[in-house]
Amino acid sequence: MQEATATVSHSRSAYFDEAQSADIVNGRMGQGIDPRLEQVMSVLVKHLHAAVKEIEPTHEEWFAAVRFLTETGQICNAWRQEYILLSDILGVSMLVDAINHRRPTGATPNTILGPFYVANAPEYENGANICLDGKGEPLVVAGRVTDLAGKPIADAKLEVWQTNDDGFYDVQQKGIQPDSNLRGVFTSDHDGGYSFKSVKPRHYPIPSDGPVGKLLGAMGRHPNRAAHLHFIVTAPGYESVITHIFTPDCPYLPEDAVFGVKSELIADFRKVEDRETAQRVGLEAPFWSVTWDFALAPATKPAHVIA
Ligand code: BEZ
Ligand code: FE
């Protein structure tokens, strides 16, 4: 009589096989798990395995990738988020932003927030000057906040921030720049109007002293962002806009390190030489002037919350 042998039934695909690798890993997914997690992980596994098959890394190359990710994590702290920076330079931040902010024609487009936004910046009256270090070429920014039909939106909140003329945000140079230099909050008037004084922004490098900077260099890319001012515009009943405006004369417009430029956001900065006009706005000639209007779409989901 033949001795009974224990038989455990395994499907052939339970064991590793190079050709079927992604299906085998995804086949391990449990029952009743969160469907979104299941979708995300199975797509990631599919594309990750496809990339590894196309690249065919050596063990040394794979370990270099692990070391890069380790160093990227190790440099992160309360102020520095190197993984977001990695997402930025790979265009992923802008892609996620685009997917989540498909707006009607005529609405001001979104761009990425960037790491240097600070909540609760000082509130100013329209016309105030946010440049506290006296560096740079004076600039007047003015415009209106409207809905998509051009109707003024009163009491909209406009948060603005930019680097100083040396290319640093105040929070990058605590103790060197005055606190809250070149950032402030304005409120649109009854006609949707807003205005403030600042300085013409310059291009500046993203933080490039870490693994992401090293990667950029190795890929033959520079770390510069095209010159811009950041804005967040919020008003009850409307979709908030996180955006920038760009100077038209910046050489880095077509090669912004984080792909943040959209053609609709390149503004018309004009040099004003006329002394009387300068006097009227409380500046000396020459100064720069830009008119920029924001068009907000009706809110379709709750106003954004910045954690
Ligand atoms: C910024 O514009 O402030 C910024 C955006 C992405 C990465 C670094 C800086
Ligand atoms: Fe910036």
Side-chain angles (χ1 to χ4, degrees):
M1 195 178 150
Q2 212 179 337
E3 221 174 67
T5 52
T7 54
V8 182
S9 94
H10 286 296
S11 85
R12 273 162 60 89
S13 64
Y15 297 113
F16 192 80
D17 170 76
E18 183 180 334
Q20 306 296 322
S21 63
D23 287 343
I24 291 167
V25 172
N26 281 331
R28 289 277 179 93
M29 208 82 76
Q31 299 294 308
I33 61 171
D34 180 272
R36 181 65 166 162
L37 178 73
E38 181 173 4
Q39 182 199 17
V40 169
M41 289 314 299
S42 61
V43 170
L44 279 180
V45 165
K46 183 171 90 179
H47 290 283
L48 184 59
H49 281 236
V52 171
K53 283 173 185 178
E54 187 172 342
I55 295 164
E56 297 198 333
T58 62
H59 277 293
E60 289 73 22
E61 288 170 334
W62 175 81
F63 197 68
V66 171
R67 202 175 325 115
F68 169 79
L69 292 173
T70 305
E71 287 167 5
T72 299
Q74 284 168 337
I75 204 172
C76 290
N77 59 36
W79 275 107
R80 176 116 183 211
Q81 230 308 347
E82 197 78 354
Y83 280 111
I84 296 184
L85 206 57
L86 179 60
S87 158
D88 294 342
I89 64 132
L90 297 180
V92 175
S93 302
M94 279 299 284
L95 181 57
V96 172
D97 192 72
I99 289 166
N100 284 279
H101 297 103
R102 295 180 182 128
R103 299 209 165 112
T105 309
T108 303
N110 233 63
T111 57
I112 52 176
L113 178 69
F116 301 118
Y117 168 75
V118 176
N120 304 316
E123 291 186 21
Y124 290 107
E125 296 289 325
N126 280 310
N129 195 339
I130 59 171
C131 178
L132 308 180
D133 67 1
K135 294 180 178 177
E137 301 174 74
L139 168 72
V140 173
V141 186
R144 291 172 76 225
V145 183
T146 70
D147 69 9
L148 297 183
K151 193 168 118 270
I153 301 175
D155 294 326
K157 190 166 103 170
L158 298 103
E159 297 174 83
V160 58
W161 68 105
Q162 66 173 92
T163 59
N164 77 346
D165 204 49
D166 298 327
F168 294 100
Y169 288 90
D170 57 345
V171 289
Q172 293 176 288
Q173 292 194 314
K174 283 179 190 280
I176 298 173
Q177 289 189 40
D179 286 348
S180 299
N181 190 29
L182 290 156
R183 63 176 76 236
V185 183
F186 296 85
T187 304
S188 62
D189 63 23
H190 68 281
D191 199 29
Y194 75 91
S195 65
F196 62 92
K197 297 188 192 79
S198 185
V199 288
K200 187 167 183 261
R202 297 174 58 125
H203 68 265
Y204 66 89
I206 61 171
S208 56
D209 56 341
V212 169
K214 243 192 267 170
L215 177 64
L216 270 181
M219 291 194 297
R221 284 174 52 184
H222 63 74
N224 295 315
R225 289 229 55 202
H228 58 270
L229 290 104
H230 292 261
F231 287 91
I232 298 178
V233 184
T234 44
Y238 295 91
E239 192 184 338
S240 300
V241 176
I242 299 175
T243 198
H244 305 11
I245 62 172
F246 294 91
T247 65
D249 53 356
C250 180
Y252 293 105
L253 275 180
E255 47 187 80
D256 183 69
V258 299
F259 305 93
V261 180
K262 291 182 175 174
S263 58
E264 309 96 298
L265 297 173
I266 301 170
D268 188 11
F269 283 66
R270 294 182 177 209
K271 197 167 198 174
V272 181
E273 314 266 4
D274 179 54
R275 285 228 215 121
E276 268 179 37
T277 312
Q279 238 172 13
R280 224 180 308 124
V281 293
L283 292 173
E284 280 178 24
F287 71 97
W288 291 90
S289 173
V290 61
T291 301
W292 189 260
D293 297 334
F294 296 91
L296 306 190
T300 51
K301 41 192 164 186
H304 86 276
V305 176
I306 295 168

